[in-house]
Amino acid sequence: MPIRFPQHPGLVVYLTAGDNGLYADAAQIRPGDLAVTREIALAAIDAGADVIELGVPFSDPMADGPVIQRASERALRAGTRLQHVLNLAAELRAARPAAGIILFSYLNPILRYGMSRFADAAAESGADGVLLTDMIVEEAGDYLAEMRRTGLNPVFLAAPTSPDARLQAIAEHSAGFIYAISRTGITGKQQQLAADAAALVERIRRWTQLPIAVGFGISNADHVAQVGQFADAAVIGSAIVELIERSTPATAPGEVSRFIKGLRQPSGAGPGMQREQSARR
Amino acid sequence: MASTAVPPLKEKPKPGPPHAAGRFGEYGGRYVPETLMAALNELEQAYAAASADPVFRAELDDLLHNFAGRPTPLYFASRLTEQLGGAKIYLKREDLLHTGAHKINNALGQGLLARRMGKRRIIAETGAGQHGVATATVCALLGMDCIVYMGEDDIRRQELNVLRMRLLGAEVRPVTSGSRTLKDAVNEALRDWVTNVRDTYYILGSALGPHPYPTMVRDFHRVIGIELRQQMLEREGRLPDAILACVGGGSNAIGAFHAFLDDPAVRLIGVEAGGRGKSLGDHAARFEGGVPGVLQGTYSYVLQDEDGQVALTHSVSAGLDYATVGPEHAALHDNGRASYVSADDAHVLEAVVRLSQAEGILPALESAHAVAECLRIAPQMPRHAILVVNLSGRGDKDMGILARELKIAGAEPLSGR
């Protein structure tokens, strides 16, 4: 199914599946029960998220900053497995037929599950597409064949460091949307949106008519409004994962809902695009 | 289709089945965040240009000889040979190199390459600290900034090397994520590189990670096997029957093995860390308990659970305490050209004492894995057989662990084992 961003700018929300935050009572949660993530995802969709990226937790998230690292560790400690994430995708699909659902993972859990078996299960769940953090176009032959066979959208990452030849290949093999990384680095909140982002989106547009979502370091309404000036959608990850970390399972859906509604209400006097600052970590 | 007409670019990447670039059989490749791809391509090209440049080669050879101390001796261990009563045992003395291990071969090569590429900020990961010390040394030599990532557990157990790195002017950054060992140090170095990729060179310390690292690191250590081959022909007039080397990532082993790959009569034996038991989490024997998968940029054998989550590892030696193995070893394992065994912590400690007291040579805990296998197989081999142990490093750094594990205290002499 094509991925649609009916509002502008669109919002893509990343959630580490199975993370119940710091204050969940482990005794209350069965391993593999992703009810907390489900309620948060439903609240996010109802608050205006166009696409939910369901992050499969991984033991070695080398592209992620401390916030998502901690969330992954919590989700794994809670017993989260790939099969549980697939089940959650199916529940979300049944509950919200129009929302976009992307399965977001490092490659190894998928390889262990079996690429072909995974593609079947992902398609069966009703997910729209897949994003593999450590999969580059050159290595993607088998993966792309499976995505085509099962009708899933492969979303590739494009980076500010990608030369035009790579962007062209990324555009050619992506479907659904293209995920443009706003700056070099790992995931995490940032004070300001990198100046790299607009230039990258402009370069990608030469090769595609697919929607382009900008992610990494986007954490507030001003960032979202800025992204809206040159891209189709903004991806919010660490800011929401951090909010969930600090909330309880009972309060998290409401907190996330309020946060997402606020993202479409910029303060108006945003700081404008400025040069990247290393406020990370 | 596109709003601006741009002619197609000729070097556009193409998806395909696992391709030749950086592959060893089906292993290797590049599985990294897109942000690193331009840097890996730049590195591949710069390395190819440097390899073909006689000036680069000459400067590296000069430093290997006059700074690091190559060639290293091939030493006949006559007392150990006599005690074991089997094969003649030779030791390739990489432990005599400057900084105390083979790691300096690669650190010098990549350091010169970084300078040639105009990168002045160097990062590295380290487990036992030998690669960190080698990198800190080369950065001091070449006047470059050096940051070394090291797991908190390893900082504790290899404190002496931490102090050396800091004395040499490097910043040692403790890594507190995951198992706080080598794997987590590599993750953190990759996170730094992906953030500072434009001005930073990552000196990866083993024949691991995304292409071109496994090939490049192997090439910088090939000198071990090339010297060994020549020395053996001069001394014995023939090639050895077997070569033993410890395998963490596998850099010393691939360096020792490579010159013999086309000599099927020479058995190549890698020795992994058997740790304290056979259960997942108690060892680092990837070829016994691992299955192929992707970790830190390369496809190889990975110790992992049934969900593809990377397993914890254990070894008395920080340098072998790692969940995956260099992809070329994975290929040599599958095609049978090399065989892989493991030595457990207890036998390794025994090997340290045995070699120290039989030959006056204190091996690193890592290298002692190869010594342990030598102690096991040499007596089963005929007296005319020749067995070489690649003694990749010396054990001074391990005195803290050895004192604790062997209960060396006070002035009491340690009895032989």
Side-chain angles (χ1 to χ4, degrees):
Chain A
M1 185 164 113
I3 290 165
R4 296 181 315 115
F5 296 101
Q7 305 181 64
H8 186 84
L11 287 179
V12 178
V13 169
Y14 168 91
L15 301 171
T16 300
D19 171 29
N20 303 312
L22 270 176
Y23 303 110
D25 179 358
Q28 298 287 308
I29 295 165
R30 272 184 303 115
D33 181 357
L34 273 50
V36 175
T37 309
R38 183 185 64 226
E39 295 310 313
I40 294 169
L42 293 174
I45 294 165
D46 295 342
D50 302 295
V51 173
I52 300 292
E53 289 179 345
L54 286 179
V56 177
F58 182 49
S59 55
D60 291 80
M62 67 170 175
D64 285 299
V67 171
I68 294 178
Q69 287 177 46
R70 291 197 299 267
S72 304
E73 284 175 20
R74 284 192 299 268
L76 290 174
R77 269 203 307 275
T80 309
R81 309 180 60 177
L82 176 54
Q83 187 60 56
H84 305 142
V85 185
L86 290 162
N87 297 345
L88 173 60
E91 290 177 46
L92 293 179
R93 170 53 68 233
R96 298 291 184 276
I101 300 170
I102 300 286
L103 296 164
F104 188 106
S105 185
Y106 287 82
L107 179 55
N108 200 54
I110 308 297
L111 288 179
R112 192 66 200 259
Y113 192 89
M115 181 64 84
S116 188
R117 179 179 166 222
F118 167 75
D120 284 328
E124 174 78 10
S125 78
D128 300 292
V130 178
L131 194 162
L132 299 179
T133 319
D134 46 358
M135 176 61 92
I136 54 163
V137 170
E138 287 93 326
E139 304 286 2
D142 295 346
Y143 165 61
L144 284 170
E146 289 298 332
M147 294 294 103
R148 270 193 300 273
R149 181 178 68 77
T150 50
L152 289 163
N153 293 301
V155 177
F156 282 96
L157 298 165
T161 50
S162 307
D164 287 348
R166 297 197 62 79
L167 293 182
Q168 188 188 4
I170 288 163
E172 222 166 80
H173 298 290
S174 291
F177 64 97
I178 291 172
Y179 187 136
I181 299 171
S182 69
R183 55 171 162 80
T184 62
I186 51 179
T187 57
K189 294 202 303 187
Q190 197 97 9
Q191 293 300 313
Q192 277 143 3
L193 188 63
D196 280 353
L200 172 61
V201 170
E202 193 178 315
R203 288 199 297 131
I204 301 170
R205 293 239 194 255
R206 290 153 76 189
W207 309 110
T208 188
Q209 292 185 329
L210 285 174
I212 299 172
V214 174
F216 280 39
I218 294 172
S219 59
N220 61 41
D222 291 338
H223 293 162
V224 171
Q226 287 168 46
V227 166
Q229 289 165 21
F230 55 86
D232 303 288
V235 186
I236 323 291
S238 297
I240 286 177
V241 174
E242 196 169 42
L243 186 59
I244 295 167
E245 178 174 61
R246 289 188 273 109
S247 307
T248 67
T251 60
E255 296 280 351
V256 169
S257 174
R258 256 190 304 285
F259 182 80
I260 290 174
K261 285 175 183 158
L263 289 175
R264 285 211 167 94
Q265 291 157 359
S267 63
M273 299 249 301
Q274 291 179 29
R275 289 201 68 76
E276 177 175 1
Q277 275 191 355
S278 52
R280 196 178 49 78
R281 287 202 274 208
Chain B
M1 159 198 133
S3 55
T4 320
V6 180
L9 300 155
K10 56 174 189 283
E11 288 190 41
K12 187 177 57 166
K14 282 196 172 33
H19 53 85
R23 288 277 172 183
F24 307 94
E26 63 183 304
Y27 301 103
R30 286 176 168 173
Y31 299 93
V32 292
E34 172 64 21
T35 307
L36 291 181
M37 278 307 296
L40 289 170
N41 284 324
E42 181 194 6
L43 178 59
E44 185 179 11
Q45 285 161 16
Y47 174 59
S51 312
D53 180 354
V55 178
F56 177 85
R57 195 63 239 180
E59 186 175 8
L60 178 56
D61 287 347
D62 178 68
L63 286 171
L64 286 172
H65 180 62
N66 294 308
F67 182 73
R70 298 214 75 90
T72 59
L74 181 66
Y75 168 73
F76 174 53
S78 59
R79 266 179 39 91
L80 188 64
T81 298
E82 198 179 310
Q83 288 175 11
L84 295 175
K88 292 179 80 171
I89 298 163
Y90 281 88
L91 306 175
K92 178 63 175 160
R93 300 292 309 275
E94 294 296 294
D95 61 313
L96 292 177
L97 282 172
H98 180 42
T99 72
H102 73 291
K103 295 291 187 189
I104 192 75
N105 300 326
N106 170 55
L108 278 170
Q110 290 201 55
L112 290 180
L113 183 59
R115 191 185 63 185
R116 187 185 163 102
M117 292 171 73
K119 312 266 184 184
R120 300 207 16 98
R121 181 177 182 272
I122 302 295
I123 58 171
E125 86 295 336
T126 198
Q130 288 304 117
H131 175 57
V133 167
T135 302
T137 298
V138 169
C139 288
L141 174 74
L142 300 177
M144 302 192 290
D145 298 332
C146 181
I147 295 163
V148 179
Y149 290 94
M150 188 168 186
E152 223 173 32
D153 281 13
D154 291 341
I155 286 181
R156 197 169 31 72
R157 55 179 165 167
Q158 305 275 238
E159 191 193 2
L160 194 61
N161 275 342
V162 177
L163 299 176
R164 287 169 79 191
M165 286 184 264
R166 292 175 62 191
L167 178 68
L168 288 159
E171 178 188 345
V172 180
R173 292 193 182 166
V175 177
T176 57
S177 56
S179 56
R180 301 186 193 88
T181 56
L182 178 57
K183 167 175 78 79
D184 311 285
V186 175
N187 283 336
E188 213 50 42
L190 285 166
R191 289 180 186 123
D192 180 314
W193 199 32
V194 86
T195 305
N196 302 296
V197 61
R198 290 181 170 114
D199 68 355
T200 296
Y201 186 104
Y202 178 17
I203 302 191
L204 216 159
S206 195
L208 287 169
H211 177 64
Y213 283 106
T215 302
M216 180 169 68
V217 175
R218 188 245 357 248
D219 289 353
F220 286 133
H221 287 302
R222 280 188 77 232
V223 62
I224 302 171
I226 292 168
E227 285 176 9
L228 167 57
R229 188 184 179 94
Q230 193 187 340
Q231 289 165 327
M232 188 54 76
L233 289 172
E234 281 166 13
R235 293 281 281 280
E236 294 278 353
R238 70 176 185 90
L239 297 179
D241 296 287
I243 301 173
L244 289 166
C246 66
V247 181
S251 65
N252 90 81
I254 202 68
F257 291 173
H258 205 258
F260 299 90
L261 288 183
D262 295 331
D263 301 300
V266 181
R267 282 169 63 203
L268 306 174
I269 305 167
V271 188
E272 298 186 284
R276 61 190 165 210
K278 295 284 180 195
S279 309
L280 196 62
D282 284 344
H283 63 85
R286 288 67 45 102
F287 292 118
E288 287 174 31
V291 295
V294 166
L295 179 64
Q296 296 172 336
T298 193
Y299 182 61
S300 184
Y301 281 76
V302 181
L303 288 167
Q304 52 181 302
D305 69 14
E306 56 186 10
D307 291 328
Q309 306 297 342
V310 179
L312 297 180
T313 51
H314 166 81
S315 169
V316 68
S317 70
L320 306 187
D321 195 353
Y322 186 61
T324 187
V325 60
E328 193 163 9
H329 286 293
L332 293 175
H333 170 270
D334 281 15
N335 69 26
R337 178 60 194 94
S339 55
Y340 295 85
V341 298
S342 64
D344 65 27
D345 288 352
H347 284 94
V348 167
L349 289 164
E350 202 177 302
V352 169
V353 177
R354 187 70 183 264
L355 188 64
S356 297
Q357 300 192 353
E359 295 289 348
I361 295 170
L362 168 59
L365 281 166
E366 290 74 19
S367 320
H369 283 70
V371 177
E373 181 63 7
C374 167
L375 298 179
R376 195 181 73 81
I377 66 172
Q380 305 164 11
M381 296 167 77
R383 284 173 180 273
H384 58 78
I386 299 171
L387 183 56
V388 178
V389 174
N390 191 38
L391 204 69
S392 56
R394 64 176 176 242
D396 310 42
K397 71 182 176 63
D398 297 320
M399 279 317 303
I401 300 171
L402 292 171
R404 201 165 52 246
E405 295 286 337
L406 299 171
K407 303 189 172 43
I408 310 172
E412 200 65 8
L414 182 72
S415 59
R417 295 188 160 204

